[in-house]
Amino acid sequence: MRTFIFCTLMLVGTVTVQADDWLQFRGTLNNAIVTGPQLPDSFDNIAWTAPLEGRGTSSPIVVGKRVIVTGCKGPRQDRLTVSCFNATDGSQMWHREFWATGRTICHEKMSVATPTPASDGKRIFAFYSSNDVACLDLEGNLLWYRGLTFDYPNVSNSLGMSSSVIVKDGTVVCMAENDTQSMTFGLNAEDGTTRWQLERPRAANWTSPSVWPGEESLVLLQSSEGVTAVEAQSGKTVWEYLDGASTIPSLTVLNGVAFVPSNGLTAIKPGVSDSTVPEIVWQGSQLNPSTVSPVVTDTQAFVINGAGVLSCADATTGERLWQCRLSGKFSATPIISGDKLYCINEQGLAQVIQLGPEEGAVINSHDFSATILAAPAAADGAIYFRSDKQLWKVE
């Protein structure tokens, strides 16, 4: 076994981490709900912009006063980057580059830097379509680097990987699922060594793992076969839903219920009579998320279909309540702050939707004039967007 791990030991500087930081794809709680101050109703006040190099379709993350983005450079996208910007003024604090060790072939719409990085508040875990994982401290010092392709050379697909990483109880979960050697890994956050590895359904899969909140340390893995709940530290399967699921939009979890893009949208919760089989709360065949992952609040569930139509359903019954036509085609998952939903289409048109019990309405929009496929991030009352070439802060 040729495991490529590079470790260094160093002192990590003191960093103030905010309660409303945005530490991974769809936020710290992995559900696209903003927990801090209400976001602005419009995008008119652009606080700053910062230039980016190369390609990048991953979302930003925010750790304290640091905004982290990943990217890739070169004609083969084999130069992997991690950049850190000051959240106050947009100045670049540091920039790091690494050579990819695995395949960098991917669909022209995507990039090698499609997976969103994650942080545990002390470290940054950057994952790439080339199956490279870099761990850095918040000052940009490399702690360890793992090239999964050295151990598993067939873990790849010709369209590229896009599953983002999450970190749960000291375990970095990396989904590298494809048509040949399909695997999901649980890596030790301290040194990058493998805690567990699972053979997964042999089918290309672009969904991301999801955190199950609560006392149980569980991570949910979605695939074409359904959903598997595993223990974060051991990879042991706890329960499975096996009625199929999408391989593009990812499930979301709220209040002990997982909302899965399956048969439209299906709400499931852990089983009572049989703890290894979840119970189906409801199924909404009219709710069909396309690329965009669903977003759920205490009372409502939202999906955007392939035609750009936003549907709102009752989160407890699945009954569709209303629909709202949005402008454009969407790849980026929206976020919710208070009673407003914030989304941006592939052409860079950002829209604010006022959410109500009986209807939704677009109340503001702003054209960023760039192709944007990455979901926005939010922290401390500000929202962040990124394209290939630029990073914006709106407050």
Side-chain angles (χ1 to χ4, degrees):
M1 180 181 291
R2 293 192 302 156
T3 303
F4 179 63
I5 302 177
F6 174 75
C7 299
T8 60
L9 298 176
M10 60 198 67
L11 295 176
V12 179
T14 301
V15 174
T16 301
V17 178
Q18 307 295 328
D20 65 334
D21 281 351
W22 201 263
L23 298 183
Q24 54 196 1
F25 176 55
R26 298 183 297 180
T28 300
L29 298 179
N30 209 215
N31 61 10
I33 303 297
V34 178
T35 58
Q38 172 71 43
L39 296 181
D41 293 349
S42 76
F43 305 103
D44 298 332
N45 185 21
I46 297 178
W48 51 256
T49 63
L52 301 175
E53 295 183 82
R55 294 288 315 280
T57 45
S58 57
S59 298
I61 62 171
V62 184
V63 188
K65 293 300 181 182
R66 291 163 166 79
V67 184
I68 313 295
V69 294
T70 58
C72 53
K73 296 166 59 178
R76 299 177 63 184
Q77 299 188 41
D78 55 0
R79 193 70 169 166
L80 313 178
T81 68
V82 185
S83 301
C84 176
F85 298 88
N86 188 310
T88 302
D89 60 14
S91 60
Q92 188 174 94
M93 301 176 70
W94 50 261
H95 175 82
R96 301 290 181 263
E97 298 189 7
F98 312 96
W99 286 110
T101 66
R103 292 182 61 181
T104 58
I105 298 173
C106 60
H107 191 276
E108 61 182 9
K109 183 177 179 179
M110 296 171 53
S111 73
V112 174
T114 293
T116 296
S119 175
D120 59 1
K122 304 182 296 181
R123 295 162 291 206
I124 299 157
F125 306 96
F127 186 44
Y128 300 87
S129 177
S130 58
N131 287 330
D132 290 291
V133 191
C135 175
L136 303 92
D137 67 20
L138 297 183
E139 303 302 324
N141 299 304
L142 182 65
L143 302 179
W144 53 262
Y145 193 96
R146 183 79 188 269
L148 295 173
T149 302
F150 281 106
D151 295 336
Y152 308 96
N154 294 319
V155 179
S156 64
N157 75 57
S158 59
L159 297 179
M161 305 286 196
S162 68
S163 299
S164 299
V165 289
I166 59 172
V167 56
K168 175 73 171 177
D169 292 343
T171 302
V172 183
V173 181
C174 308
M175 290 176 64
E177 302 187 5
N178 58 89
D179 296 319
T180 53
Q181 191 177 16
S182 190
M183 307 284 288
T184 288
F185 304 91
L187 306 181
N188 189 327
E190 294 292 334
D191 57 16
T193 54
T194 301
R195 280 186 166 169
W196 51 264
Q197 61 192 50
L198 300 175
E199 293 189 7
R200 298 281 291 153
R202 292 187 177 182
N205 186 7
W206 296 276
T207 65
S208 297
S210 300
V211 173
W212 181 269
E215 296 181 1
E216 289 185 290
S217 179
L218 300 183
V219 170
L220 304 190
L221 308 176
Q222 178 182 325
S223 74
S224 59
E225 293 187 1
V227 178
T228 302
V230 302
E231 293 180 350
Q233 293 192 330
S234 68
K236 177 184 176 182
T237 298
V238 177
W239 55 260
E240 287 187 290
Y241 164 81
L242 296 174
D243 197 22
S246 173
T247 56
I248 299 178
S250 302
L251 66 85
T252 189
V253 179
L254 191 71
N255 298 331
V257 178
F259 298 84
V260 185
S262 168
N263 301 302
L265 190 67
T266 299
I268 62 175
K269 65 179 181 180
V272 176
S273 58
D274 185 349
S275 61
T276 65
V277 180
E279 298 178 3
I280 295 178
V281 181
W282 54 258
Q283 286 186 318
S285 59
Q286 294 180 314
L287 307 172
N288 290 296
S290 55
T291 301
V292 175
S293 298
V295 184
V296 182
T297 67
D298 290 336
T299 58
Q300 297 173 315
F302 301 92
V303 300
I304 299 176
N305 68 16
V309 175
L310 172 67
S311 293
C312 170
D314 187 304
T316 59
T317 66
E319 177 189 2
R320 189 166 65 185
L321 303 176
W322 51 260
Q323 291 182 299
C324 175
R325 169 72 67 175
L326 305 179
S327 297
K329 184 177 181 181
F330 293 82
S331 285
T333 295
I335 61 178
I336 289 180
S337 176
D339 59 354
K340 296 177 179 63
L341 181 143
Y342 298 76
C343 59
I344 190 161
N345 68 22
E346 293 183 358
Q347 291 72 43
L349 181 67
Q351 299 162 73
V352 183
I353 296 89
Q354 178 70 55
L355 304 174
E358 298 180 355
E359 65 176 353
V362 178
I363 60 172
N364 188 270
S365 63
H366 179 87
D367 189 357
F368 285 89
S369 300
T371 298
I372 296 181
L373 306 178
D380 197 25
I383 186 168
Y384 299 87
F385 298 98
R386 71 85 51 94
S387 66
D388 276 343
K389 302 299 182 184
Q390 206 157 17
L391 173 68
W392 294 266
K393 177 183 180 180
V394 180
E395 63 181 9

